[in-house]
Amino acid sequence: MVRTPSPARVTRALPRTVRVLRGIAITFCVLSTLAISTPAQRIETAVAQIRSVLQAQPRMLSGDRADIDFMNGYARSPSTVFVSEDTIRRGWQTVRDRYKKKYPSRAKMGTLKFSDLEITPLSSDWAVAIGRWKLKRANDQPHGRFTLILKHLPEGWRIVHDQTSAAPPPTR
């Protein structure tokens, strides 16, 4: 025998159904809002993380010892590329060795500053950064521009390609 629910039972069930549907609608709206805002938030987060990696490099060089710790901002990979002085160097260790040879002492290294930094995310895992660099040393102040390609790796954002150019020295 099939039982038909009493009218009182149907009336009590309706508000519960309405509450469930309302809950589903609110959940849908919240999730939709999160889905819409997430890409912008991810871009802001990526730019902040990249800026942090790049801003750490001059601070690492400003210590009392001639150190190349700023190479921590580069991907520790044989495919890392550094282009400068009409030469292409490949590999994290090769680039590090070049810096050690070129800047063997604190005096040669000087104080590095970056400016005019522009970071453009290309995707969730890739970005390009351009800017100016300047070394302040006792006898000179070389400066120039750089273009960096960064990749988001498990250890964070790292430079995988660095193209740095130096401005010609001032004529006297």
Side-chain angles (χ1 to χ4, degrees):
M1 172 171 166
V2 176
R3 288 181 59 181
T4 306
S6 69
R9 194 173 215 177
V10 171
T11 305
R12 279 184 295 206
L14 185 61
R16 183 174 183 193
T17 304
V18 170
R19 285 194 309 258
V20 169
L21 289 174
R22 185 177 56 198
I24 290 170
I26 290 170
T27 302
F28 177 76
C29 289
V30 169
L31 292 175
S32 295
T33 302
L34 290 174
I36 291 170
S37 63
T38 299
Q41 290 172 341
R42 276 189 281 208
I43 289 171
E44 287 179 28
T45 300
V47 168
Q49 290 171 346
I50 292 166
R51 189 174 300 279
S52 177
V53 168
L54 298 180
Q55 289 173 340
Q57 289 186 268
R59 285 194 307 267
M60 288 180 199
L61 288 175
S62 66
D64 292 332
R65 54 197 171 99
D67 205 341
I68 308 297
D69 285 344
F70 75 95
M71 285 296 297
N72 290 336
Y74 288 76
R76 289 186 183 235
S77 166
S79 62
T80 297
V81 175
F82 181 79
V83 181
S84 177
E85 302 168 347
D86 198 32
T87 303
I88 298 173
R89 292 172 181 83
R90 297 182 192 280
W92 183 87
Q93 189 62 51
T94 302
V95 174
R96 188 171 196 273
D97 292 345
R98 179 244 184 219
Y99 275 117
K100 280 187 159 193
K101 185 177 180 182
K102 186 161 176 123
Y103 304 108
S105 68
R106 181 77 179 107
K108 286 273 189 185
M109 194 174 292
T111 303
L112 175 65
K113 291 194 179 191
F114 291 155
S115 63
D116 301 335
L117 192 58
E118 295 176 29
I119 300 167
T120 306
L122 303 174
S123 72
S124 60
D125 291 332
W126 292 92
V128 65
I130 61 172
R132 293 179 184 268
W133 62 271
K134 184 174 188 175
L135 279 179
K136 186 174 183 182
R137 300 187 291 206
N139 298 328
D140 63 354
Q141 292 189 13
H143 63 283
R145 298 248 183 199
F146 60 83
T147 302
L148 307 171
I149 298 174
L150 296 101
K151 183 174 183 181
H152 190 253
L153 301 170
E155 60 272 19
W157 285 95
R158 295 293 183 265
I159 300 163
V160 296
H161 184 101
D162 177 341
Q163 181 147 5
T164 298
S165 63
T171 56
R172 293 185 185 214

